[in-house]
Amino acid sequence: MSLEELYRYINWRMDPGDERARERFRKIEELFRSISDELPSKGRVLDICAGTGIAGVAIAKVTGARLLTLLDARKDDLELAREWVRLAGISPELRMVQGDARGVAKLVDEHDVAVLWGFTMPHFDPFDAVKLFAGVALSLSDDGVFLIEDMDRVYWVMYRAGYKKFLVEGRKEGHTIASMHEGYNFVRGTFKRGYYILPGFKKISDVDFHYWDISTQLAIGRVFFREARLIPGESRGVKNVWGLLYFKKPRKDVAELVLRDFSRPL
């Protein structure tokens, strides 16, 4: 079972044919405009775990990017990126790469800004996250910027809401999607959740999550970048965007060393 199967049932609001997704695009664009003075202009944009490219297209529009590369494991989603580009009224060179984000440095050429959008970090355990940050650092120019949209799940999920052994995740086309706790990996630090479709209780996917806090991501990012900070979304007057982790000026020497060491099995 794969994430592709799960995503067929859960609506992440990234289809350009969905008005709610188009409103989401406008909010993402608004946030990027609010920090446009901190982003490279007329450069090369890399959207990691891009899905349909909703965030990559937004930042390419704001910065006037000449190249937009979209990296995702799901080919069907990538094909929708052309429609986002059309709706945005831009015409960068468009490259679509199907592959694993943990190998980003081997999959793409150099870029000036990279973005990881859609609260994607839980799919990376701490070991994967180190590979991701190192790979992104090696994929950026010397003044390159790496942006991550995320929230503090230790606070909001584990403390405020409380971890749920059973949780209704959403409804689509007359079906309910629910997830259940099915284990914990002490070495990888991941919670395993099984996803089921109701009625019928048919299992559609297993997913491992690591519930990240903001400080740990900033600390890991600071290893690979000379600048690291949090930009709260609402501090920029943009609702529905929790915050941006902002990293700049990759330390490629460190990234090369760490990535080479992390290539060995645990």
Side-chain angles (χ1 to χ4, degrees):
M1 288 177 281
S2 66
L3 285 177
E4 286 188 63
E5 187 170 3
L6 175 61
Y7 284 7
R8 281 197 290 269
Y9 290 97
I10 295 181
N11 184 2
W12 294 110
R13 296 185 181 178
M14 60 182 180
D15 187 328
D18 184 344
E19 175 54 38
R20 293 173 299 175
R22 293 195 293 273
E23 176 60 25
R24 182 183 173 215
F25 177 89
R26 289 188 284 270
K27 291 294 184 183
I28 297 171
E29 180 186 347
E30 183 182 351
L31 177 61
F32 288 148
R33 287 201 184 282
S34 75
I35 62 168
S36 59
D37 58 337
E38 301 187 64
L39 299 175
S41 62
K42 303 186 184 304
R44 301 156 293 178
V45 170
L46 170 62
D47 190 349
I48 303 166
C49 299
T52 63
I54 185 172
V57 173
I59 199 168
K61 180 179 180 180
V62 168
T63 62
R66 66 179 187 271
L67 168 67
L68 171 59
T69 301
L70 307 176
L71 171 63
D72 200 283
R74 306 184 304 277
K75 183 179 179 180
D76 289 347
D77 282 346
L78 286 173
E79 291 299 325
L80 293 174
R82 300 183 193 280
E83 180 63 11
W84 278 123
V85 169
R86 187 190 70 79
L87 289 172
I90 58 176
S91 55
E93 178 186 347
L94 183 62
R95 298 179 186 172
M96 292 182 281
V97 180
Q98 185 179 5
D100 189 330
R102 290 168 294 188
V104 59
K106 297 179 180 179
L107 295 172
V108 304
D109 297 326
E110 185 178 84
H111 290 73
D112 302 299
V113 57
V115 59
L116 182 72
W117 205 259
F119 301 110
T120 306
M121 277 301 293
H123 291 300
F124 298 94
D125 67 36
F127 298 92
D128 289 337
V130 169
K131 293 178 183 178
L132 174 69
F133 274 85
V136 172
L138 290 174
S139 303
L140 289 174
S141 54
D142 290 341
D143 285 324
V145 171
F146 181 28
L147 300 172
I148 300 176
E149 181 199 26
D150 212 351
M151 62 185 294
D152 195 310
R153 288 172 180 80
V154 171
Y155 180 75
W156 289 104
V157 175
M158 308 302 261
Y159 172 66
R160 287 291 299 269
Y163 181 73
K164 308 296 183 183
K165 291 186 177 181
F166 181 88
L167 181 66
V168 173
E169 301 279 356
R171 294 177 174 83
K172 184 177 181 182
E173 299 175 357
H175 299 291
T176 296
I177 308 301
S179 67
M180 292 179 59
H181 173 79
E182 295 186 349
Y184 181 77
N185 186 318
F186 285 91
V187 174
R188 310 297 296 197
T190 54
F191 291 81
K192 180 182 290 292
R193 295 193 71 88
Y195 281 77
Y196 298 82
I197 186 169
L198 307 172
F201 217 70
K202 174 189 174 184
K203 192 169 192 177
I204 55 175
S205 187
D206 287 312
V207 182
D208 292 323
F209 291 115
H210 179 80
Y211 292 99
W212 288 95
D213 60 282
I214 293 299
S215 64
T216 303
Q217 292 182 69
L218 288 173
I220 293 175
R222 185 60 183 83
V223 172
F224 298 105
F225 293 83
R226 290 180 172 82
E227 297 180 22
R229 70 182 193 274
L230 172 67
I231 303 175
E234 293 196 4
S235 73
R236 299 281 175 155
V238 182
K239 296 181 179 179
N240 302 322
V241 177
W242 193 89
L244 277 178
L245 295 162
Y246 179 95
F247 306 98
K248 187 176 181 180
K249 296 183 178 178
R251 302 174 66 188
K252 296 190 178 186
D253 54 341
V254 175
E256 289 177 354
L257 176 64
V258 172
L259 199 59
R260 184 166 59 247
D261 184 65
F262 264 64
S263 65
R264 304 178 211 161
L266 180 65

